[in-house]
Amino acid sequence: MTSADDTYTVAVRVKPGAARSRVGGRFDGPHGPALVVAVHAPPVDGRATEAARRALADALGVRPGTVSLRTGAASRDKLFLVDRPPAGLADLVSRLRDGTDR
């Protein structure tokens, strides 16, 4: 995860086809430690990616329009950008990903 003044990058591992949507857990992937996002949507026609984007926005408490896909459209390992991240977002992502406060 990286940040700039106006954007924050979140590494995500998407698990499509889950029984229910859930955001939490850690996966050590190609982008480093990633937040696991399980979604009910299948990995077809970008539906899992869109469901993951919306689930991530909901878990982070931001509007879905502020979360966009940076890379990984055809992969389970994705990078999402959060525009104008609120204060404390990095800590929230750490808690969701690692179950700890940093």
Side-chain angles (χ1 to χ4, degrees):
M1 282 160 286
T2 61
S3 67
D5 290 338
D6 58 347
T7 62
Y8 186 80
T9 303
V10 182
V12 169
R13 171 70 171 199
V14 177
K15 292 189 173 185
R20 63 182 178 89
S21 294
R22 184 180 72 79
V23 177
R26 178 186 177 123
F27 179 82
D28 292 321
H31 304 296
L35 178 62
V36 176
V37 178
V39 295
H40 182 68
V44 177
D45 298 328
R47 289 192 284 181
T49 298
E50 177 59 17
R53 184 183 71 81
R54 290 183 174 277
L56 180 62
D58 186 53
L60 299 180
V62 298
R63 292 182 307 109
T66 65
V67 179
S68 60
L69 182 66
R70 178 175 157 200
T71 188
S75 172
R76 291 178 188 231
D77 298 302
K78 303 177 184 301
L79 291 177
F80 284 97
L81 292 178
V82 180
D83 292 329
R84 299 174 308 283
L89 185 66
D91 289 335
L92 176 57
V93 170
S94 292
R95 286 193 309 271
L96 289 169
R97 185 191 64 215
D98 301 325
T100 60
D101 287 300
R102 286 190 175 178

